[in-house]
Amino acid sequence: MKSTRNFMFFLCPMLVLGFLYYSSGRLHLRTLVQKSQYDKQGFLTKLDGKLPLELQYKYGNLSKGECKPGYAEAKMMSIYPKFSKPAPMFLDPNFKRLSRISSYPPPFGVRTQEKIIDVILAATKRYLLDPELDSLSCKRCIIIGNGGILFNKSLGSKIDEYDVVVRLNEAPVSGFEKDVGSKTTMRITYPEGAIQKPEHYEKDSLFVFSAFKPMDFKWFLHMVAKERLRSMEGFWKSVARVVPREPKDMRILNPYFIQEAAFRFIGLPHNNGLMGRGNIPTLGTVAITMALHNCDEVALAGFGYDMSSPLAPLHYYEKLKMSAIKESWTHNISKEKEFLRKLVKGGVIQDLTNGI
Ligand SMILES: *[C@@H]1O[C@H](CO)[C@@H](O)[C@H](O)[C@H]1NC(C)=O
Ligand SMILES: *[C@@H]1O[C@H](CO)[C@@H](O)[C@H](O)[C@H]1NC(C)=O
Ligand SMILES: *[C@@H]1O[C@H](CO)[C@@H](O)[C@H](O)[C@H]1NC(C)=O
């Protein structure tokens, strides 16, 4: 009797230990498997661009060229399961409820700028894209980069077929229609990148402001209120003094896209949520991030620098050569390109100029 009891005393802890050992082994195994499937950022490591079976069923019968509802999101989820679509394009008067941006100062959020944003939004009064575009059941968007790779490719008419054409900073349209198209739904701009000559703005496009530093909000308030900015202090080059747009055609881009691109998608240094060395995504990647959340299909053109040909043009609209590009303090072009390559390889976005 006694020996059985002793044996039980011995057996029970052994069973517990054995179970613990077994389950920890399984856990370990599982993390090993996960490690090999996903990279540090959470993207699938093996990208072949093929449609997963359930998407083949969903999209397989649509005729070629037809807009596929929810396609970019579905493809993104298949290579990056953490993706969550809802994120409004622009700030509206309820922006303080967006918890992800309220804890970061610019460029990653709105902290410290809440009051001035309230004033700006009270003046613009509009916070959506455009009733006609918003009511589309399927939206195809294209982001036009400024790269020389667009030059002489005659993509203009193809670009104009998209529902939403997004241009960046001062990239011109007039005189370049054959290559870059003539339609501009919105122009996303920071102060130093804004077109300076009022006559160079296209007739009707949304002016979408993207803030990178606190100072930028002050500039934008002046542009909305049509007041001349007295001082250029705090900007790294001269900025536009006037933006020839009515307040109702002006918007503030949701800074969440900068935050998500930097810290989640690209994996730039967090630096306690402050702007620091090499942790600011380029505007082009910010625009792509916005489109992933707000468009059913996403394409881009004019992205990618060809560092191996220093004599290639840097931008499609000027004579600057590739060799003029300097190591950037704020951006990390190579890490950013890695991210964009995952999107293209995974078939989430389509690259019309094959520069990525
Ligand atoms: C695709 O076509 C098949 C056969 O015509 C049909 O049964 C199926 O419902 C279609 N799928 C979708 C998503 O429309
Ligand atoms: C543009 O492309 C056309 C044909 O595709 C070519 O004949 C022409 O020389 C090119 N122009 C320039 C400036 O490269
Ligand atoms: C870009 O990222 C790489 C890899 O993390 C790093 O080695 C490099 O120093 C970074 N460049 C800049 C400009 O921060």
Side-chain angles (χ1 to χ4, degrees), residues 1 11 27-28 42 60 82 97 110 113 120 125 137 145 160 212 221 225 252 280 300 311 322:
M1 221 21 211
L11 187 66
L27 269 177
H28 190 62
K82 285 189 276 185
R97 287 188 211 154
V110 295
Q113 300 302 306
I120 293 168
K125 296 192 180 72
S137 58
D160 284 340
F212 281 84
L221 177 60
I252 302 176
I280 311 298
L300 45 90
L311 291 182
M322 275 308 300

Side-chain angles (χ1 to χ4, degrees), residues 84-183:
S84 152
K85 192 177 184 212
M89 235 182 222
F90 311 124
L91 294 187
D92 67 33
N94 289 322
F95 72 94
K96 285 171 210 145
R97 287 188 211 154
L98 301 171
S99 58
R100 292 179 297 198
I101 57 170
S102 56
S103 50
Y104 288 87
F108 306 112
V110 295
R111 210 182 77 210
T112 68
Q113 300 302 306
E114 293 89 345
K115 284 210 183 93
I116 195 166
I117 294 174
D118 277 336
V119 178
I120 293 168
L121 294 179
T124 64
K125 296 192 180 72
R126 310 260 175 103
Y127 320 107
L128 297 173
L129 188 55
D130 163 273
E132 202 178 309
L133 289 171
D134 280 324
S135 68
L136 287 178
S137 58
C138 191
K139 268 199 294 292
R140 304 171 74 215
C141 306
I142 186 161
I143 319 293
I144 310 298
N146 303 345
I149 199 162
L150 263 174
F151 180 71
N152 206 22
K153 295 244 162 69
S154 302
L155 283 172
S157 54
K158 185 147 190 210
I159 288 170
D160 284 340
E161 283 172 14
Y162 283 79
D163 303 303
V164 174
V165 179
V166 180
R167 299 187 196 273
L168 308 171
N169 283 330
E170 71 231 297
V173 171
S174 172
F176 300 90
E177 291 89 346
K178 180 174 81 68
D179 290 331
V180 306
S182 53
K183 178 174 177 176

Side-chain angles (χ1 to χ4, degrees), residues 54-62:
E54 68 276 14
L55 295 188
Q56 275 179 31
Y57 174 75
K58 184 165 179 204
Y59 297 116
N61 333 2
L62 291 178

